[in-house]
Amino acid sequence: MTDNQTSLTDQDVHPAISKAGLADEYPFASRFLQTEFGNIHYIDEGQGPVLLFVHGNPTWSFAWRNLIKQLSPEYRCVAIDHLGCGLSDKPQLRAYHLSQHVDRLQKLIESLQLRNITLIAHDWGGAIGCGAAGRTPDQFSRLVLMNTAAFRSKRIPLRIAVCRTPLLGTVGVRGLNLFAGAAVRMAVNEASPLPERIKKGYLLPYESWNDRIAVDKFVKDIPLRPTHPSYRALVEIEENLERLKGKPMLLPWGMKDWCFTPHFLREFQTRFPSAQAVEFPTAGHYLFEERPDDLTAAIRQFLDQNS
């Protein structure tokens, strides 16, 4: 560990996880990295080639628990909680634009001196992870992108567009928990309903108005127009995808996802013709909950074939 890292517990799980009775689901030591706006939480499990897990909204590193349990005996699995998410700090500041999330992911990569990285990303994690990979492509060797985007699109579901409504959207997302609370029901297809303790795990970090700041900011940060503050950052990420074209890519996709629909998969396939797609015809947005064993097997096979 470097000087700017601290650990709440190096051997035990986070107290909040233990208190919630979720230590068997999320049996990982919590680590923290200091950043300009607050500490970001991450887990670092196993040894070997690096797998960097990058989550979206409104999830956190809890989403990757099943994959990490299965892959950490052979790989070093690092999973970040974006600022404002999971067990990271949740400052009530202007700290939640796309470029800032990319900056913090890069800071974690450099702090841990990660190289030869396989990016495994979902939802917003695709843009954030590809943002870091596009800036420093030599540090990344392979990419696994599922139900995500890293390019401009004006396709936005009505149920998300409503959450972007000024004032009322924030009241719904932060006050009534309509985004994170709905996701544990609406983001799954095959696995619906999720077991209550798994729902509890997803919602654990988002119990209050202040806790849900990043959930709200992520919704507001979708850049649909050139005047949006994060539009330029997304354009840069999209343009830098060209720098990743020579790298092996796996595209596991839940085909019943109403958010990142098969349209987004086809867009990735157009941009990366040599990418390997694995379609899950009846799975939804939370592929890692609906088909964790099959997803892990597909990733493992991809890693073996491109070692």
Side-chain angles (χ1 to χ4, degrees):
M1 299 177 68
T2 58
D3 290 342
N4 61 346
Q5 296 175 57
T6 60
S7 177
L8 183 65
T9 58
D10 282 334
Q11 302 300 324
D12 302 321
V13 298
H14 193 285
I17 300 296
S18 297
K19 184 178 179 180
L22 293 170
D24 57 335
E25 286 290 341
Y26 190 84
F28 311 121
S30 286
R31 304 183 187 278
F32 292 86
L33 174 69
Q34 294 177 353
T35 73
E36 179 183 3
F37 293 105
N39 291 332
I40 53 175
H41 172 265
Y42 68 96
I43 55 178
D44 189 348
E45 298 286 321
Q47 295 182 343
V50 175
L51 308 182
L52 177 61
F53 294 84
V54 187
H55 71 84
N57 185 42
T59 60
W60 57 291
S61 55
F62 183 82
W64 303 118
R65 69 196 185 284
N66 292 318
L67 277 68
I68 292 172
K69 289 176 191 176
Q70 296 189 57
L71 293 169
S72 57
E74 303 165 60
Y75 296 91
R76 181 182 179 186
C77 297
V78 177
I80 189 175
D81 285 346
H82 302 304
L83 192 74
C85 300
L87 302 176
S88 292
D89 287 348
K90 299 174 176 65
Q92 308 298 298
L93 302 169
R94 296 178 181 272
Y96 297 104
H97 286 311
L98 173 57
S99 62
Q100 294 171 301
H101 288 299
V102 176
D103 289 343
R104 287 187 288 265
L105 180 61
Q106 279 198 287
K107 183 179 179 66
L108 179 65
I109 291 169
E110 290 305 320
S111 177
L112 298 181
Q113 299 180 356
L114 304 181
R115 299 294 183 270
N116 194 29
I117 301 165
T118 297
L119 172 67
I120 301 179
H122 173 257
D123 193 89
W124 267 102
I128 296 168
C130 287
R135 290 180 185 177
T136 56
D138 291 344
Q139 293 177 232
F140 289 78
S141 58
R142 299 168 294 200
L143 300 99
V144 179
L145 306 176
M146 64 192 79
N147 296 87
T148 185
F151 39 76
R152 289 167 289 177
S153 174
K154 291 191 176 182
R155 290 175 177 255
I156 181 170
L158 177 61
R159 63 190 85 178
I160 292 180
V162 169
C163 293
R164 290 163 55 88
T165 306
L167 186 59
L168 288 178
T170 295
V171 170
V173 172
R174 298 187 69 177
L176 303 176
N177 204 16
L178 294 182
F179 198 84
V184 295
R185 301 188 307 273
M186 299 170 64
V188 291
N189 188 48
E190 288 181 336
S192 181
L194 289 173
E196 288 302 317
R197 65 193 317 270
I198 303 306
K199 290 181 184 178
K200 182 179 182 180
Y202 277 106
L203 296 177
L204 179 66
Y206 307 119
E207 295 183 337
S208 70
W209 174 279
N210 283 352
D211 287 347
R212 298 172 196 141
I213 183 170
V215 177
D216 184 46
K217 295 298 185 181
F218 266 122
V219 173
K220 303 291 195 300
D221 203 46
I222 301 170
L224 300 178
R225 297 182 178 84
T227 54
H228 190 282
S230 286
Y231 189 85
R232 183 62 239 172
L234 183 58
V235 170
E236 177 185 328
I237 291 167
E238 179 180 341
E239 291 175 345
N240 281 345
L241 291 177
E242 289 289 327
R243 307 179 73 187
L244 305 176
K245 275 196 169 180
K247 301 181 186 301
M249 178 180 290
L250 177 68
L251 300 168
W253 217 268
M255 301 299 281
K256 292 297 184 181
D257 185 356
W258 52 265
C259 183
F260 290 101
T261 65
H263 166 83
F264 291 88
L265 170 61
R266 306 307 175 211
E267 178 71 17
F268 272 114
Q269 290 177 308
T270 298
R271 292 173 180 271
F272 297 90
S274 62
Q276 175 187 347
V278 179
E279 299 180 8
F280 294 84
T282 57
H285 187 55
Y286 283 5
L287 183 56
F288 34 73
E289 290 298 336
E290 304 192 53
R291 302 291 288 275
D293 293 339
D294 291 338
L295 176 58
T296 302
I299 293 173
R300 191 187 301 278
Q301 182 179 32
F302 169 74
L303 296 174
D304 290 343
Q305 291 173 346
N306 296 279
S307 58

